[in-house]
């Protein structure tokens, strides 16, 4: 009878172990496990009995099978890595920067002959839409068009750059500056001059009729990690550094940050994340709370953690994480900043995550707050 009770006690403890949420903090900070000390002492006293040892061996084999089945279930909840897609052959260009062989001023029909049809349109801070082109986030390109259907904005964070100056994703910050000269220290918007707080993580260059922003990866030798190219008339049409918020811009920021996250993951041979609408609502509520009450923290004013908020909204998970960003000019700047912060980067590239919900809100100064909740169920 004692052996049978011990056997089922071990099964119960194993079930509790695998069912618990996994936090970044040690589990001891959330659960008092001191009651297990007496169990340990009891087990030590009875395991010398041969019959008990035999039963424990049987239980060990059984629990190993349970553990293997649970791990298989966990793996099945993550997406498989998509089939690899070939990179386009990049040709020589007469432009400072071409992306996927597309240049500023190119007709939409010609551009889409190179990149295909857009998979999503997302309103951006310039009052136009980013047209998103990719194959399972491979060969990822964003293009914007003016009213005449000509390219007036481009972005990529993948190796799709050709340049008259020889700039590539292997170029370093020092090399880029030697080729393009001194970066801008400020941007003039109306009567206001905005100082660019780049923190040495990106540079903005004004060349001819173009504003080119080059982002660097501080964890990979300050090499180029992304490039945004904006035609001068589009940049000047943006009257303030922060866009006037509306529902379309909010959704555009949310979906763009989601896409950029998957674009970063696919380059590292990681499974893609699925968008989770329920978690978006949870994330939005936290962003709204921070924007309205002027604070910036994972813990809200009620003392609730990200995991408390997800549990309250009925989101089931066994592993979860949260990224926050605030005050960046757009989702592109927010994503690149998060990638340069090691703790946030680890969430973005964590293999165990399978789902992501992102919520955005704006404060009275039009500054965006981003909440990104990663998890797997």
């Amino acid at each position: 009878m004692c052996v049978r009770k011990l056997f089922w006690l071990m099964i119960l403890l194993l079930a509790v172990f695998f069912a618990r949420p996994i936090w970044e903090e040690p589990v001891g900070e959330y659960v008092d496990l001191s009651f297990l000390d007496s169990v340990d002492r009891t087990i030590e006293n009875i395991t010398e009995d041969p019959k008990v040892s035999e039963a424990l061996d049987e239980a060990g084999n059984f629990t190993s099978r349970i553990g293997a089945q649970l791990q298989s279930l966990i793996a099945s909840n993550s997406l498989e890595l998509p089939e690899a897609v070939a990179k386009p052959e990049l040709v020589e260009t007469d432009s400072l920067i071409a992306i996927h062989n597309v240049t500023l001023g190119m007709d939409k029909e010609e551009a889409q002959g190179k990149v295909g049809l857009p998979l999503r349109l997302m309103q951006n801070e310039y009052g136009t839409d980013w047209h998103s082109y990719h194959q399972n986030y491979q060969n990822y390109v964003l293009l914007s068009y003016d009213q005449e259907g000509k390219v007036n904005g481009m972005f990529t964070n993948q190796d799709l750059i050709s340049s008259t100056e020889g700039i590539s994703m292997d170029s370093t910050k020092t090399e880029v500056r030697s080729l393009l000269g001194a970066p801008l220290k400020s941007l003039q918007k109306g009567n206001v001059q905005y100082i660019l707080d780049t923190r040495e993580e990106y540079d903005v260059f004004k060349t001819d009729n173009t504003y080119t922003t080059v982002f660097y990866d501080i964890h990979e030798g300050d090499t180029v990690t992304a490039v945004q190219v904006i035609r001068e008339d589009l940049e000047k049409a943006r009257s303030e550094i922060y866009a006037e918020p509306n529902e379309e811009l909010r959704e555009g920021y949310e979906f763009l940050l989601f896409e950029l996250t998957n674009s970063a993951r696919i380059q590292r041979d990681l499974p893609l994340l699925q968008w989770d609408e329920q978690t978006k609502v949870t994330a939005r509520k936290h962003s709204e709370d921070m924007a309205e009450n002027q604070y910036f923290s994972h813990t809200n004013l009620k003392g609730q953690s990200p995991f408390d908020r997800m549990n309250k909204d009925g989101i089931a998970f066994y592993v979860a994480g949260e990224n926050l960003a605030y005050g960046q000019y757009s989702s592109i700047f927010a994503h690149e900043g998060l990638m340069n912060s090691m703790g946030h980067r680890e969430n973005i590239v964590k293999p165990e995550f399978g789902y992501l919900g992102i919520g955005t809100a704006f404060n009275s100064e039009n500054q965006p707050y981003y909440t990104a909740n990663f998890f797997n169920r």
Side-chain angles (χ1 to χ4, degrees), residues 197-214:
D197 182 19
T198 68
R199 304 183 184 182
E200 295 292 305
E201 295 181 7
Y202 68 89
D203 286 328
V204 182
F205 300 95
K206 174 65 168 62
T207 54
D208 297 328
N209 299 317
T210 302
Y211 286 86
T212 301
T213 304
V214 182

Side-chain angles (χ1 to χ4, degrees), residues 19-34:
R20 80 196 195 290
I22 299 174
W23 319 101
E24 293 193 25
E25 294 85 352
V27 69
E29 295 184 15
Y30 292 87
V31 182
D32 182 4
L33 299 180
S34 59

Side-chain angles (χ1 to χ4, degrees), residues 82-315:
E83 184 177 349
V85 175
K87 192 183 85 169
E89 181 180 354
L90 301 179
V91 300
E92 292 186 6
T93 178
D94 294 330
S95 299
L96 174 63
I97 297 288
I99 295 176
H100 204 304
N101 298 320
V102 176
T103 57
L104 291 182
M106 184 176 287
D107 289 331
K108 182 177 182 179
E109 182 177 355
E110 183 181 357
Q112 293 193 161
K114 301 177 185 297
V115 297
L117 296 176
L119 298 181
R120 181 182 279 130
L121 273 63
M122 299 165 286
Q123 189 174 119
N124 60 36
E125 69 272 26
Y126 295 100
T128 64
D129 289 328
W130 282 126
H131 295 233
S132 172
Y133 305 90
H134 58 89
Q135 299 88 43
N136 285 320
Y137 298 96
Q138 299 167 81
N139 299 327
Y140 186 81
V141 175
L142 299 174
L143 298 178
S144 168
Y145 302 96
D146 63 18
Q147 294 182 348
E148 297 178 355
K150 295 185 181 298
V151 177
N152 60 3
M154 308 186 296
F155 171 86
T156 190
N157 60 355
Q158 298 187 8
D159 189 11
L160 301 170
I161 301 169
S162 49
S163 167
T164 55
E165 299 295 335
I167 297 171
S168 72
M169 300 297 276
D170 294 325
S171 300
T172 65
K173 181 195 303 180
T174 300
E175 292 169 342
V176 171
R177 289 177 175 178
S178 69
L179 294 169
L180 299 185
L184 298 179
K185 299 298 183 183
S186 63
L187 278 178
Q188 188 78 26
K189 295 294 178 186
N191 296 323
V192 180
Q193 188 175 47
Y194 293 91
I195 304 300
L196 295 174
D197 182 19
T198 68
R199 304 183 184 182
E200 295 292 305
E201 295 181 7
Y202 68 89
D203 286 328
V204 182
F205 300 95
K206 174 65 168 62
T207 54
D208 297 328
N209 299 317
T210 302
Y211 286 86
T212 301
T213 304
V214 182
F215 298 90
Y216 307 107
D217 192 327
I218 66 173
H219 300 296
E220 296 184 8
D222 279 335
T223 52
V224 175
T225 186
V227 173
Q228 176 179 276
V229 185
I230 301 296
R231 208 169 63 192
E232 183 176 18
D233 60 338
L234 181 60
E235 182 62 58
K236 288 189 173 181
R238 183 168 62 134
S239 59
E240 297 183 3
I241 202 73
Y242 293 109
E244 185 73 26
N246 55 49
E247 188 60 26
E248 290 74 22
L249 182 67
R250 172 168 162 152
E251 290 183 353
Y253 277 9
E254 290 168 347
F255 281 120
L256 181 52
L257 189 56
F258 172 77
E259 289 200 355
L260 294 170
T261 300
N262 269 336
S263 180
R265 289 175 69 90
I266 200 66
Q267 294 180 78
R268 291 160 176 81
D269 295 326
L270 295 171
L272 299 175
L273 302 177
Q274 291 185 12
W275 175 263
D276 190 81
E277 190 71 14
Q278 182 183 13
T279 311
K280 178 202 77 173
V281 175
T282 300
R284 273 191 175 188
K285 287 190 292 186
H286 187 56
S287 289
E288 289 169 351
D289 189 35
M290 290 190 293
E292 292 173 6
N293 294 291
Q294 300 180 355
Y295 74 95
F296 185 63
S297 173
H298 291 289
T299 303
N300 66 18
L301 300 181
K302 297 179 180 179
Q304 296 171 322
S305 72
F307 318 109
D308 295 330
R309 297 191 296 272
M310 292 174 70
N311 279 321
K312 182 180 179 181
D313 288 348
I315 299 167

